[in-house]
Each structure stands twice: as C-alpha cells, then as structure tokens.
Amino acid sequence: MSVLQRDPQDQVRVLDEDGTVVGEVPDIDDETLVDMYRNMRLARHFDTRAVSLQRQGRMGTYPPLSGQEGAQIGSAIALEEDDWMVPSYREHGAALLRGLPLKQTLLYWMGHEKGNEMPEGVNLFPPAVPIASQIPHATGAGWSFKLRGEEDKAVLCYFGDGATSEGDFHEGLNFAGVFDTPNVFFCNNNQWAISVPRERQTASETIAQKAAAYGIDGVQVDGMDPLAVYAVTKAALEKARNPGEGEGRPTLIEAVQYRFGAHTTADDPTVYRDDEEVEKWKAKDPIPRLEAFLRETGRLDDEKVEEIEAEIKQRVADAIEAAESDPRPEPSDMFDYAYDERTPEIQAQYEEFEALREKVGDEGFLRE
Amino acid sequence: MSAQNLTIVQAVRDGLYTEMNLDDEVLVMGEDVGKNGGVFRATEGLWDEFGDDRVIDTPLAESGIIGTAVGMAAMGLKPVPEIQFSGFMYPGFDQIVSHMSRFRTRTRGRYTLPMVLRAPYGGGIRAPESHSESKEMFYAHEAGLKVVIPSTPYDTKGLLISAIRDPDPVVFLEPKLIYRAFRGEVPEEDYTVPIGEAAVRREGSDVSVFTYGAMTRPTLEAVENLEEEGIDAEVVDLRSISPLDRETIVESFKKTGRAVVVHEAPKTGGLGGEITAIIQEEALLYQEAPVKRVAGYDVPYPLYALEDYYLPSVARVEDGIREAVNF
C-alpha cells in the first residue's frame, strides 16, 4: 500500500530521533543514502558559512535553512531528471540537488541576478519572494505538461506554513485539483512565519488536512526525518506522473519541521520564541539522526564521515571564492532583460545613463 | 486578402481564432470563456473548434488564472488568459507585477513569458460598480509589460496577433464601450499591426490631439465639428501606451505647436502627464500653448447615473481643443 494512503493526521516516520528505525525504510540504494547524508551536511555547512558572510558584510540579507535539511534533501533527491522544481526562497539545498551551483545561490543573495540564470537543463524556477506566489506557477507548469501529453514530468513546489494563509495557496491547489495536474505541493511547516506561529496561520489541526478541501491527497510527514520525507515525496511524484485507477495526481505534503535560526538574517528569533522550544526541536536534528542510522547499518564510518567533511568544506570554500571573485554585474545589464529587445524609451535611458557614466565615472553613482 | 466587416469584439475573436489555428501552443483560459463564449462573446465558438484543452473554463480566481498562465508560459505555451472585466484584475495584481512583468529580468532572459492578458476595460456601458474603471497606467508604469489598447477592428486583430507572437508579456485592454459601436474591414488572413507604433488618424496643422481606445471616437467627432470653426486638428491614436511612440508624438507636436491629450483615465498620473513631459523634454521651443488634458476626474468612478459627466464627451474635447488653439 502506498505511504500516501493514510489519514492526513497520521504522521509518516521512518527514523526515531536517535536514528532507530520505527517505520518502513524506503527502497533506496546505499550510494543514494550516503549522498543524502553528504548533501545534508553540505547544506548545513553552506548555511553556516552564508550566515557568517552576511554578518561580515560580504553578503546581503539571507534566509537560513538549518534544521530543514532533511525536508529539502529528502524530497529533492526523490525527483527524476525530467521533473521540475519550483522553490520559495529558502530551498538552497534542494536547488543544489536540482543542479544550481552553490556559487549561484551565493551570487543571488549577494545581489546579482546572475544567480538566477539557470544552467541549461536545470529544471528549476527562480526563487520566489512574495509568499505563496510561486504555487500557481507550479500548477501552471504541471498543467502545461499534462496539456502537451508529457506525462513523464511532475512538478515539486515548496512553500512555508505562512504561505498556506495566502490566496495563492488556495488558488494553486484548487486549480491542481480541478485540472488534475501532476503536482506535488510541499509545505515546509517550520512552525514560524517570521515571528508568527503556525497556530496563528490556521485553526486547522494539520496543514495536510487542507488537501481535502481541494479534493487531493494530503499527507503529513516528519520533516526532520529524511527517509520518511523521501518515501512520501517519491510516492507522491510517482502518483503525479502515473496515477492508479481512481487516483488523483496532485498531493499536498506537510513536512513538520523547525528552522533553527532566524527567518532571515534581518530578524532576531530570541524575541519571539524561547530557548526551550529551540532545544526541543534541535533534539530532532535530521543530520545526526541519519548519520546514526547509516553508521548502525554499516554504510558510514569515521573515515567516510571525515572524508565527507573535508569534501564539503572544500566545496563551500570554493563556491565562496568563486562568487566573491565573480566580476560585478555590468551596469548595462539592468537595461538588457526587461524585454526581449530594448524599447525605444529604455534605449534612450540607457544612452543617457552611459553618457552620464562617461562624464561622472562610476564613482558618481556609487555610495561606497 | 478577403475581408469581413467586423466589430471590435468580433475582431478579438477572429484574432484568437486565426492565431490558434496557426499555432498549437496558443490557448485561451478564463472565466466563462468556454461553452459560454465569454460574457462579451469574445471567445464565441472557440471551444467548439478547439476543445477543452485549448479553451479552458477556469475556476473563478484571478490570481489563479494569471499565476497558472505564468507557469504555462514559462514552460513555452502561449496562454491568453482573459479577465472578465479589468476591474477584477486586482486579485491577480501581485501575479502581474511580481511575476508576469519580472520573470525575464529575474532569470536574465532564461525564462520568458509569451503570454497575453486580455481584459475589457473602461466605462460608458452603464455597468455596475467596479466594471468601468480605466486603470491602464497601473500596467504602463510596470516595466517588463507591454500595454496595448486598440480602437478599430482592423487594429484589434492585427495588434492581438502581434501580442500573441510577442516574446514578452502583453496586457491587452479592450475598450468595451466600442466593442460593438461600429464595424470595420478586417482581413480573414493573419496579419500584424506592430506594437509601439501610433497611427495618425487625421492629419492637421493647428493642434495635435493625442488619444487612444474608446476616446478616439469622440475625439474624431470633435475635430470634425471644429473644422467648421476653421480649426485643423491632427489626431494621433497611440494604440499602445507602453511602449509609447514618442517619435510620432514629438513629430506631430513640432508641426502644430499645440497639444491636447484625451483619455478617460483619471487626470493625475494619467498618460496626459507623460505626453506633456515628453513634449517639454523634446520640443519645448516649438510650444505655442500649454498642453491641455481632457481626462477622467480624480474621483472614484461614479455609478452610471453620473458616468456621462465623468467621461470626456465630444463637447469637452471640443472645448479643450479650442482652449489650446485660442491660448
């Protein structure tokens, strides 16, 4: 029976907080399991370094992901090559798995639009900042696959618990239900929408149960259990591509988790939540949990862990080096992408800009 | 080319039909656009012709309609979503300004949105509240969008086909006051009218009158009446308000030295101010009189008992032109 066939309030779990198996371990090869661990460690280390770069003034405001590696990596690793990912603005780990180099994530948060220039063949939408606004896009993308008969493609869309309060959440899921589109809606319920708790977003007992309102499947999963996340996402994506008799394609997954840090580097979470709560959730940290399981089952040892540690540190250091040594964007860039061709007005403004630049130099524009 | 005698709304339908026939990627979506053929009949018969997958009746949800069209267009389809009345575009406004206009810039051209957002707009049809406003400047102010407003059946079809073929997203506003006010010749074949080029509807030497959409008609009528008074006015129909055909505006003004702008949008922040600024920037020394704006008032659009007082009338346009000429 599919892992999706259950009450939306019945949370899917595979690993206990100490890594003990308490559910059905998904069918997943050793290499992928270790890869999952490697990428979670990579995402955590990247995140720590990114926050530090922001604190040092080397990067702009940044939304940290620590605590959410299990949900991001566990779900993204379930995608097939032709599937698409539609992220919010916090899925740096998931985007990495989809093929977006870390350097580009850094560039984006360093204020370069080049960070969003997806390499050819990377099936990823750019991060969406207005809350929930990417959800209808995901439905539209899935819908386009269905209309074109491209039935081997599904779309995985991420958003937070706050997004479920927005109209676009409702409209996106409602369209998906009505048109039976190949979509997996993945709610990273990290308990806080900046400073407002999940209880202030909805009086629903779970977010997963909202699926019933749209006539689609809803499932709640322990979002800090990467194996459980993998199992439900894999099943939901398979159903989206190839639903069984009488089954609908779309699924709403509620991954229950916690963000350890701030919403972004611009807020201070100690103002709105207490240490006790944070400690309680830190005990569920997805990384040691998976590590314990992998060590217990002989898939990981000290030597391998050290090797992974060295590797991820190098990768993040290289990405930071690459991002920081990337040439600053050309000022003329801002005139180049508004339209396929510059309009006469934009062309005139560009020429005026270049003439002034010639006259006053770049220092005539720069504040620092 | 063989031609038909069509109204503007029939030309919309003909443009959609023509382009859907030529390009399988084009689809129409919105509320009541399918079986019902659209509340103004702009999509009449398309559902019978192209079926459920290309003429899609959606749930009643403007953000959903525009937002899913963004996703489709990013994947290469050419959706033409219809919003039933422009007064109902606001629930989808976030999708228009946060995504539809910005997707190309945000991704440095990696994803483009070849979509056309259609809506009937403007007043004068004795419609209920929220059905008559003229808020085209919201969209003209937003970089990344093109904003097209036709005033003749021929232009409607040609501009709509251009909009559908345009790689960038277009807001296509249809002046519903003149949806059925008159007929004009429209070729049966496909043809285009370029976006960003104004049309000189009448040549004249005393004053330039700039207008677009439904106001083109009272303007032309006013100008005709003033001919008897010896005023020879030039009428420029802008056709697209973004991009704006500055060249034709400036050229016309240099010839006449006087300008009147006529639009039904509120005066403050309306296109009249923009045209005045263009004239100041590029033709100040040709100026013989202040630019006169004949526009909607800066008040909420009144219920229809008063809408005739709100909308520029032939007499108001005449008065404005006289003022510019007699300064």
Side-chain angles (χ1 to χ4, degrees), chain A residues 91-357:
Chain A
E91 279 81 32
H92 325 304
L96 170 74
L97 277 196
R98 199 73 297 233
L100 188 70
L102 288 176
K103 173 192 164 186
Q104 281 191 257
T105 301
L106 289 167
L107 281 177
Y108 177 74
W109 295 104
M110 287 172 172
H112 299 217
E113 233 122 29
K114 206 159 114 185
N116 277 343
E117 202 176 284
M118 301 306 159
E120 205 56 49
V122 170
N123 295 349
L124 175 66
F125 272 53
V129 169
I131 304 301
S133 62
Q134 74 278 18
I135 299 174
H137 306 168
T139 303
W143 197 357
S144 78
F145 302 150
K146 191 178 176 197
L147 290 169
R148 284 174 153 163
E150 298 169 355
E151 297 199 345
D152 52 339
K153 294 180 182 175
V155 184
L156 176 61
C157 176
Y158 295 104
F159 47 89
D161 37 311
T164 67
S165 307
E166 292 271 11
D168 272 350
F169 167 79
H170 170 78
E171 296 187 31
L173 268 67
N174 191 47
F175 273 59
V178 168
F179 296 104
D180 194 34
T181 57
N183 282 93
V184 179
F185 300 103
F186 194 101
C187 178
N188 284 306
N189 171 7
N190 67 13
Q191 313 303 324
W192 292 90
I194 307 188
S195 68
V196 179
R198 178 245 173 262
E199 295 72 38
R200 270 292 166 98
Q201 299 303 330
T202 177
S204 298
E205 197 149 339
T206 69
I207 287 169
Q209 77 190 56
K210 288 176 185 284
Y214 312 108
I216 68 177
D217 294 311
V219 60
Q220 194 185 59
V221 60
D222 180 344
M224 298 172 93
D225 174 348
L227 296 186
V229 168
Y230 173 83
V232 297
T233 312
K234 188 86 181 165
L237 285 166
E238 272 167 16
K239 178 167 72 79
R241 285 185 291 261
N242 190 19
E245 185 70 31
E247 271 186 334
R249 289 173 194 273
T251 306
L252 169 62
I253 296 172
E254 176 190 5
V256 180
Q257 60 202 284
Y258 201 72
R259 72 169 143 79
F260 293 161
H263 159 67
T264 70
T265 47
D267 68 299
D268 172 9
T270 61
V271 173
Y272 53 79
R273 60 187 200 191
D274 55 40
D275 291 347
E276 204 181 316
E277 178 185 299
V278 181
E279 288 316 309
K280 187 190 95 185
W281 282 93
K282 280 198 169 164
K284 300 177 196 287
D285 192 330
I287 295 179
R289 212 158 152 176
L290 183 63
E291 184 173 324
F293 168 76
L294 294 179
R295 281 178 183 270
E296 189 64 31
T297 54
R299 291 170 169 105
L300 207 59
D301 54 23
D302 285 347
E303 199 186 334
K304 185 75 185 161
V305 169
E306 273 172 38
E307 184 193 314
I308 288 172
E309 242 167 43
E311 179 208 322
I312 62 172
K313 281 186 176 153
Q314 193 58 50
R315 276 186 71 179
V316 173
D318 289 348
I320 294 171
E321 162 74 25
E324 290 195 319
S325 58
D326 199 82
R328 301 293 94 183
E330 263 306 305
S332 60
D333 269 13
M334 64 183 163
F335 300 98
D336 283 340
Y337 296 105
Y339 299 95
D340 187 49
E341 276 178 53
R342 288 180 192 161
T343 62
E345 186 60 47
I346 291 178
Q347 179 61 23
Q349 290 172 13
Y350 164 73
E351 284 166 15
E352 193 182 316
F353 172 81
E354 284 298 352
L356 185 63
R357 203 173 159 215

Side-chain angles (χ1 to χ4, degrees), chain A residues 45-55 59 62 106 265:
Chain A
H45 181 62
F46 173 81
D47 196 58
T48 313
R49 293 291 298 127
V51 172
S52 159
L53 290 176
Q54 191 279 332
R55 298 290 182 236
M59 195 161 78
Y62 165 83
L106 289 167
T265 47

Side-chain angles (χ1 to χ4, degrees), chain B residues 200-210 220 223 227 230-236 248 251-258 325:
Chain B
V200 178
R201 297 292 180 204
R202 184 189 188 281
E203 292 202 24
S205 55
D206 294 337
V207 56
S208 301
V209 190
F210 302 105
L220 284 168
V223 163
E227 214 175 346
I231 296 174
D232 183 25
E234 176 146 308
V235 177
V236 178
T248 300
E251 207 178 303
S252 176
F253 185 77
K254 282 184 175 171
K255 190 167 74 174
T256 64
R258 296 168 197 270
V325 171

